[in-house]
Amino acid sequence: MSSISRNHPANKERTFLSSLAANILFPMDNSILLLSMVIAAMLVLFISNRIRLDLVAIVACLALAWLSLISPLEAISGFASNAVVAMASVMILGYGIERTGVTSRLASTIIKYAGTNEKRIISTVSMTVGLLSSVMQNIGAAALFLPAIRRIGQQTSIPTSHLMMPMGFAAILGGTVTMIGSGPLIVLNDLLRQNGMEPFSMFAVTPVGLPLLIAGVALFALAGSRIFPNKKEKKCQLTVAEIWGIDYAIKTCILPRSSNLSGKTREEASFKIKYDLNLLAIRKNTEVTVAPSRYARLESGQELAFLGSKEDFNDFISASGCVPTENRSRLKSILDSGGFGLAELIVRPKASIIDKTLREIGFRQKFSIEPIVHYSKMRESRSDFYDTPLAAGDTIIAFGSWDTLRLLASHQDLLLLTHPEGEEIRYKKGPLAVMIFIASLALTFTGMPISIALLTGAVAMILAEILTPDEAYHAIDWKSVILIGGLIPFGIAMENTGASRLIASSFVDLLAGAHPIAVMLSLAILTTALSLIISNVAATVLLVPLVLLLSAGIGADPRALALLVAVSSQNSFILPTHQVNALLMDPGGYTIRDYLKAGGVMTVLFICIETTFIYLLI
């Protein structure tokens, strides 16, 4: 009777809990208790969101050092870690991709396919990022799509908070689709070889990872509006176009040989007078001319870009025989990419252009910008004002590249009144930027540490003059870097104090003799919890040797349990401790509570699916 009662599951569980509590509350030293207190305090501050998360991480990290749970060098080691260097480098790489206009074209392609339907956009973006993440580092996939997500949000008026979190979660899920998709799965095969076991093939995990990705994308699309945060977009100041009532979408068309405009000069075409349209640019093959002069000759095959109402543009199309190209326009994608826009300019007192007309000074040739509106002495002109003499204080609304407009900030004749809303887009560097990005990711498959591979790519972006050094520093979100750098020492503290091994070994003792499903669920939960505190690779390295021993006691397949641990270590959705979550936290305006809510649902779904499929298939 006494023998039966000792082996009863309920008594066994009480014994485990008592043992664990005793070890934590009354250890040989107080290091584990002190660590638990620091972690608890940190989590309370994280959830309350009263203090900036990066500051909380730094204070908590310093507390570990002051309590002698880690050494001073270990306290700052996070800032030289593989994760932090990789994160900063990938931010630079992503910014380089953005500055060459690649992301704007990517966003346009997605919108062209998915339209403006939020569910369809989320599904398209999430599945694309997830599949990319299966063959490249998940933080690289997220960084590549981050600027595109911003632009999609701007063009579709969908809050970016609805788009960024599902994209980031999909990048994490994609790391479970192949054995090279994430660090834990790569490390797993090394651990199996060390224990004399056959490693998994490239797609051995696909029957588990692909259902995880598909289920995640379905969750995002069907229930995203209920689980993802609905952050109110910060109300931006009115743009120049909105202030002056010229916030029209750019229209483009191709000039056919049969058009009556073919062979005429811009002045002869009289777009402004006849159709109330402003000709912004002309594209011929790969050459784009912004603010073409009045002598510019129109030729068949050219693509023209106009600013004006839809009705006026349709009238022009009917009269000229030109063919609209908005859905497939290369010129429109260039002008909409963020490198061009409208600005207010004021004629300075004593300027050399006073009393002269725009025609006399050759305004377009002189400044390489297109005048749209002229405002003088309480009178606004939008038609043909090119022969109106300029006076001190006159306002001119003009379209051009941001770099060109920015030069006018110190011009002797014109004063730039509004701050440029964007940056120069270096289109010609686009292919080179993509090659550098791909090459840096490819280096990670050679065995080179991800930090060195991505840092090499970041430096290459600067050496290739895709970015300037100042732009590279500007590209780094230092808040996210500090957050991760401050959290990494907690993994060291867990190992130094023996807390992680204590928890893991206690669970192994509890699970001996239990049903395989109970074992797998418990291991999935344990691994998930550890991966939120220490790195997912560290959790895998710690638990795999233990589960290989455990498998002999319960008669389970050791490779299946090892695979479960490696996959479960990717279940990092509840806290922004994963690099991808940290990368998106500030741009998305997310809080810890946002991750707890959305990540909690994803975590439960993840555990249920991975446990079921590994139990049935492996």
Side-chain angles (χ1 to χ4, degrees), residues 237-289:
Q237 295 181 345
L238 292 175
T239 64
V240 173
E242 291 170 336
I243 291 172
W244 291 92
I246 51 177
D247 50 332
Y248 304 114
I250 294 176
K251 314 288 193 308
T252 56
C253 62
I254 293 288
L255 184 67
R257 188 180 301 276
S258 58
S259 173
N260 53 23
L261 296 177
S262 185
K264 291 184 178 180
T265 64
R266 172 181 182 156
E267 188 171 34
E268 292 170 343
S270 302
F271 300 111
K272 188 82 168 177
I273 297 173
K274 292 181 179 179
Y275 309 105
D276 197 23
L277 293 175
N278 296 280
L279 179 62
L280 303 180
I282 295 176
R283 181 181 71 86
K284 181 68 174 178
N285 298 323
T286 59
E287 183 180 350
V288 176
T289 303

Side-chain angles (χ1 to χ4, degrees), residues 58 150 192 314 419 525 532 602:
I58 289 296
R150 288 196 184 106
L192 291 176
N314 289 339
H419 183 73
I525 294 171
L532 294 172
M602 189 65 243

Side-chain angles (χ1 to χ4, degrees), residues 557-570:
D557 182 357
R559 294 172 76 249
L561 294 184
L563 182 64
L564 177 70
V565 167
V567 173
S568 297
S569 69
Q570 295 289 87

